[in-house]
Amino acid sequence: MTQSTTVPVGSFRTGRLAEGRPQALDAWRVTTDDAEVAARIANLLGGQPQPNEGGGKLAHEVLTKVETVRLLMDGPDAVAAHMILWGSKGIIHQCDGLEFLSPEEKKGQPCGCPPVFEDRKVAAKEGRGPMPSINLTFRIAAEPALGKFHFMTSSWQMAAQLSDLTDALKRINGPAICDLTLELVAYTTKMGRGVCYQKPVVTVLGSPDTVTIEPPQVAEPTPTPAPSPLRREARLTSEPTIPSAMESIHSVSVSAALLRQAAEVLGTAGHEETVIAALSEIAAGRQQAAELFRLREQFGQITAIAGRALQGRDSALT
């Protein structure tokens, strides 16, 4: 796959630095060197232009209010992907999964990466193999004249779906309307530890002739709850993160007693399972559909779903 040589006017990001610490975000962050572009992004996607203090070399940043942005991608050439292993002096291994792309003396030779995708992940985790490096180039569908943006990620989930993405773009046979979404994933590991992270997902919708280009909808800002022990560990990566005491844009304030009562209502066996159940269709019958959708998208609203479920139980007992 090739990549356009046009210099992007800005970058989409899933995280930033806050007081020197990496921080995961619940909505897209856009950085740019152009103040006018930053102002237009804020108008389209919400948020306020501000000096970039969250990391990266570009001068301005906008912390948007949206988790989904409608894009215009110029076919499969808008997707560039390879595998990279970094060393102390720079890149020591760069390949396409089959052959070396660098260094020059090895270019075209078999790279030796495991043929099985899961084995590649294990090798990368142990520091023996490269990780994905994916670069998406696109325009914002509501205002393509603004210029090209890009999004870079090392997400293994996106790497696993790249062939489906490029095949879908090929079928459009021209510019394609797509949605780029930060999708919340929450689950409990076999060791009983709660895990949550934002997964970038690209959905190909169709050609501009068949898909209505609607301006992105600005989400309502989520009130910042009081500090609590339940927090998501903040990282810039798109991979799973283990909850810790590290600060995040959105946190969840739920007492242990409330979680125990919610577990009785939802029929769950532990705190992590209770949180996941509240975000899943298990609770669909207890809440209005629109509210449930918002709660699933905004993890910080978990208190509301648990509290209202308890109200329903208490009402039934009186």
Side-chain angles (χ1 to χ4, degrees), residues 45 70 170 197 230 257 259 280:
L45 308 181
R70 186 147 291 183
K170 288 178 182 177
Y197 63 98
L230 290 178
L259 280 171
S280 72

Side-chain angles (χ1 to χ4, degrees), residues 162-177:
L162 275 184
S163 60
D164 292 337
L165 172 59
T166 55
D167 287 347
L169 291 171
K170 288 178 182 177
R171 287 194 293 270
I172 300 300
N173 194 28
I177 301 296

Side-chain angles (χ1 to χ4, degrees), residues 128 158 188 197 235 254 257 267 294 298 308:
R128 299 182 289 103
M158 182 167 284
T188 303
Y197 63 98
R235 295 176 184 255
V254 185
R294 183 170 67 255
Q298 299 290 340
R308 293 179 185 181

Side-chain angles (χ1 to χ4, degrees), residues 46-211:
Q48 294 293 329
Q50 61 190 36
N52 182 12
E53 299 177 352
K57 299 179 181 180
L58 303 181
H60 310 279
E61 72 173 355
V62 180
L63 302 180
T64 77
K65 302 296 184 180
V66 298
E67 300 153 351
T68 298
V69 182
R70 186 147 291 183
L71 313 176
L72 186 64
M73 299 184 71
D74 294 329
D77 287 348
V79 182
H82 47 270
M83 307 286 291
I84 291 182
L85 176 63
W86 292 88
S88 59
K89 297 182 179 180
I91 297 175
I92 60 177
H93 180 125
Q94 183 178 17
C95 70
D96 61 4
L98 298 174
E99 298 179 347
F100 278 108
L101 301 175
S102 68
E104 190 64 32
E105 61 271 16
K106 291 185 178 180
K107 188 173 182 180
Q109 298 179 19
C111 60
C113 288
V116 179
F117 189 80
E118 290 301 321
D119 292 342
R120 295 183 184 182
K121 291 179 63 175
V122 171
K125 184 177 181 180
E126 296 176 351
R128 299 182 289 103
M131 293 187 62
S133 179
I134 302 166
N135 188 2
L136 307 180
T137 302
F138 51 83
R139 300 177 187 269
I140 297 177
E143 193 166 339
L146 200 57
K148 288 189 175 182
F149 294 81
H150 75 148
F151 168 58
M152 299 188 68
T153 179
S154 58
S155 167
W156 285 100
Q157 288 90 345
M158 182 167 284
Q161 299 168 358
L162 275 184
S163 60
D164 292 337
L165 172 59
T166 55
D167 287 347
L169 291 171
K170 288 178 182 177
R171 287 194 293 270
I172 300 300
N173 194 28
I177 301 296
C178 308
D179 277 348
L180 176 62
T181 302
L182 283 176
E183 182 178 292
L184 178 65
V185 178
Y187 64 93
T188 303
T189 68
K190 293 180 180 179
M191 301 299 294
R193 303 176 68 182
V195 173
C196 59
Y197 63 98
Q198 296 282 8
K199 179 177 68 173
V201 177
V202 179
T203 304
V204 179
L205 302 176
S207 69
D209 295 333
T210 60
V211 179

Side-chain angles (χ1 to χ4, degrees), residues 9-21:
V9 297
S11 299
F12 276 64
R13 301 175 182 272
T14 62
R16 70 191 304 269
L17 293 176
E19 298 181 352
R21 296 190 299 184

